[in-house]
Amino acid sequence: MYGLRFHTAVFAAKMTKKLLTLTGRKGTTLPGQIALRICPDLLAVYGKILGQRTVFITGTNGKTTTSNLLVHFLREDGRNVISNSLGANLIQGIASTLVEGVDLADYHDQAVVLEVDEATIGNVIAHLQPKAVVVTNFFRDQMDRYGELDTVVEMVGSALKKAPNNTTVILNADDPLVTSIAPEGKQVVYYGIESSQFDATSHSEVRDGKFCRKCGSNLQYSLYHYGQLGFYDCPSCEFTRPTPAVVAEDVKLLQEGIQFNVGSVTGFINSPALYNVYNALSAITASTVFGVQDEVLVREMGYMKTQLGRMERMTAANGRNLMLTLVKNPTGFNEVLKVVEHETRPVELVIILNDRYADGTDVSWIWDTNIERLHQLADLRRIYCSGTRAEDFAIRLRYADLGNITELVEGDIASVEQALRDLPDGHMLYILSTYTSLYNIRDHLLNQGGKEYAPENRASVS
């Protein structure tokens, strides 16, 4: 029905996936790479098969968490959903996901949620013709791959112009870099945070996008959430924060996560990081575009959880509590440090810094992290550094006057094992890892008998 080349490509990719699985590999990209080599039009064929039952999630931070929350909402609504949940968001990974997930004999009720790399979206959007595209935020990230931030913003903005006219574009109203690329002639829906206990009127953090992308003037802010996210306007032109259709109010920190209100509904996410409120809002907004039933959203918003190493709470096999999280750029790292600051138990850290291609080979971003704020922690006992660039982070810690509690450990798994072995009862371990070690560590923890943490106490600590 779809041509011999297409079916040959799908068959070859599925055989490759089986072989990789037998050898213990996840096979998230190679099957798609082979399929695209055999059938360069593979994605266009899938676009015709799926119609507009696809949603893209793109942006610097939050793609995986937003995707996973949206998949959860859709599945709870009874949908048959395919997604690249492990974050294989380049064109080969997207092809692998579609080959593995789309049932060519029964695809009419299948929906697809895809997180898409910012440099990839322009190559796939015209082929797959998504029903909706979510743009989460823009921060400096992996500059060796993407170049300057303006280049990334422009890439995504150009991609949005290629979307079908009936595609709904869902944008973070609080990020001026995101709202600057709102495409003309398309339905645009905004989400944002209206009030939070973290709000500030002054700002000393790394702030990307200081200038209006319309006229070049310095943006002025009446309120900051974090980074460049907040209430902004341009004093020299009409550019201003748009009014969001979906808003979170009264955001406040609880012991086990964050609570917020969306209209009359109280939402809770089991991660004490403000950025996950944005991830929840974008998933909620996309769910409404896909027609998820109100009663399902209201029920599921009551307890949302982050997984797959995104501020993921776990219990190790020896009973010790830990949090595993991805770090890859200064803004995300600084937000994780804010979470660590709120910890009431004695804290130990494992920081794993790699410079493989998927991590970004340029690790100079560590010098823009506000690691010095760890001095505010009352009881920080030890910091283990590991990864291919462990020495670089150890030097960064030395310049932050934290060298006396820093220990280099060879091997990412070995560093986690040593930290858990030496962690006293009642202490909390935070594992901050760049991308290529994240899933290895998570798999190791689970294989050793670790498990997801079961929340028991949501009492307010603020």
Side-chain angles (χ1 to χ4, degrees), residues 230-422:
F231 290 5
Y232 55 85
D233 62 56
C234 176
S236 303
C237 73
E238 74 284 357
F239 183 65
T240 188
R241 175 186 185 254
T243 302
V246 179
V247 297
E249 298 177 292
D250 302 323
V251 179
K252 60 182 178 183
L253 184 68
L254 304 185
Q255 187 166 334
E256 299 290 349
I258 279 188
Q259 179 178 292
F260 57 95
N261 295 324
V262 178
S264 60
V265 181
T266 297
F268 175 85
I269 189 162
N270 75 335
S271 162
L274 181 61
Y275 59 73
N276 275 325
V277 176
Y278 281 109
N279 296 333
L281 284 177
S282 58
I284 291 165
T285 308
S287 296
T288 62
V289 171
F290 269 76
V292 172
Q293 301 171 76
D294 289 345
E295 55 266 35
V296 173
L297 265 182
V298 169
R299 183 187 72 217
E300 297 305 317
M301 283 172 58
Y303 183 76
M304 297 173 279
K305 62 180 182 179
T306 56
Q307 298 173 299
L308 297 174
R310 270 68 174 181
M311 302 296 289
E312 184 176 19
R313 295 177 181 275
M314 302 180 73
T315 303
N318 65 359
R320 301 295 188 262
N321 292 320
L322 63 92
M323 181 175 284
L324 175 64
T325 192
L326 173 70
V327 289
K328 62 192 184 86
N329 53 50
T331 299
F333 196 101
N334 289 338
E335 289 305 297
V336 171
L337 292 179
K338 290 179 185 175
V339 171
V340 176
E341 271 181 24
H342 287 285
E343 181 59 59
T344 55
R345 292 163 287 189
V347 167
E348 304 198 10
L349 292 175
V350 173
I351 299 175
I352 302 171
L353 179 67
N354 295 313
D355 63 350
R356 304 181 182 103
Y357 178 74
D359 303 297
T361 57
D362 180 358
V363 298
S364 61
W365 60 267
I366 65 174
W367 293 93
D368 284 334
T369 61
N370 192 10
I371 196 75
E372 285 79 4
R373 68 186 310 151
L374 286 176
H375 286 292
Q376 299 175 29
L377 267 175
D379 205 350
L380 174 62
R381 299 296 179 88
R382 184 166 297 278
I383 304 174
Y384 302 90
C385 287
S386 185
T388 57
R389 300 295 290 268
E391 291 85 357
D392 292 73
F393 215 104
I395 292 172
R396 176 70 184 91
L397 291 166
R398 183 176 178 182
Y399 273 86
D401 291 329
L402 292 163
N404 59 321
I405 59 170
T406 298
E407 181 175 342
L408 282 168
V409 181
E410 186 173 351
D412 48 7
I413 299 294
S415 66
V416 172
E417 283 294 295
Q418 180 174 335
L420 285 171
R421 187 169 54 247
D422 296 341

Side-chain angles (χ1 to χ4, degrees), residues 13 39 81 90 148 158 187 211 235 305 345 364 368 372 376 435:
C39 180
V81 186
L90 304 181
E148 290 293 336
S158 297
Q187 173 77 15
F211 304 103
K305 62 180 182 179
R345 292 163 287 189
S364 61
D368 284 334
E372 285 79 4
Q376 299 175 29
Y435 185 76

Side-chain angles (χ1 to χ4, degrees), residues 51-64:
Q52 281 200 293
R53 299 196 301 277
T54 303
V55 58
F56 287 178
I57 316 292
T58 195
T60 305
N61 291 339
K63 294 187 289 291
T64 300

Side-chain angles (χ1 to χ4, degrees), residues 2 6 9-10 14 35 41-51 53-54 94-104 112 127-128:
Y2 305 109
F6 174 76
V10 170
K14 288 192 172 183
D41 296 331
L42 185 92
L43 295 184
V45 177
Y46 275 118
K48 292 176 182 175
I49 291 172
L50 293 166
R53 299 196 301 277
T54 303
I94 290 168
S96 296
T97 298
L98 296 175
V99 167
E100 184 180 1
V102 174
D103 183 349
L104 295 176
V112 183
H127 297 311
L128 292 174

